[in-house]
Amino acid sequence: MGQERKEAEPHGRRVTFRGRGLGVRTPARLTLLVCPLCSQRNGDRMAMRGVCEWCAYEPSKRDEEPV
């Protein structure tokens, strides 16, 4: 895991997307750690962009649920 990801988690809340995947929501952005569509772990760069590097899935904010 990269340094950026470790810093993002304490300042945000962990979320899933209709019970799948894993992300961290901060007021400024979504960090997508595990894709809810293809279930792959995201790399640091794409995780910080909120997009899956494997299938290009971009989660909708309306699908977010707290962990």
Side-chain angles (χ1 to χ4, degrees), residues 22-60:
L22 179 64
V24 177
R25 170 60 74 184
T26 64
R29 79 168 102 208
L30 169 71
T31 302
L32 182 62
L33 303 175
V34 179
C35 179
L37 187 62
C38 70
S39 301
Q40 294 293 317
R41 183 171 294 279
N42 223 353
D44 289 341
R45 180 176 290 171
M46 293 304 281
M48 294 304 286
R49 292 183 182 170
V51 177
C52 177
E53 74 177 294
W54 301 97
C55 69
Y57 178 76
E58 216 172 322
S60 171

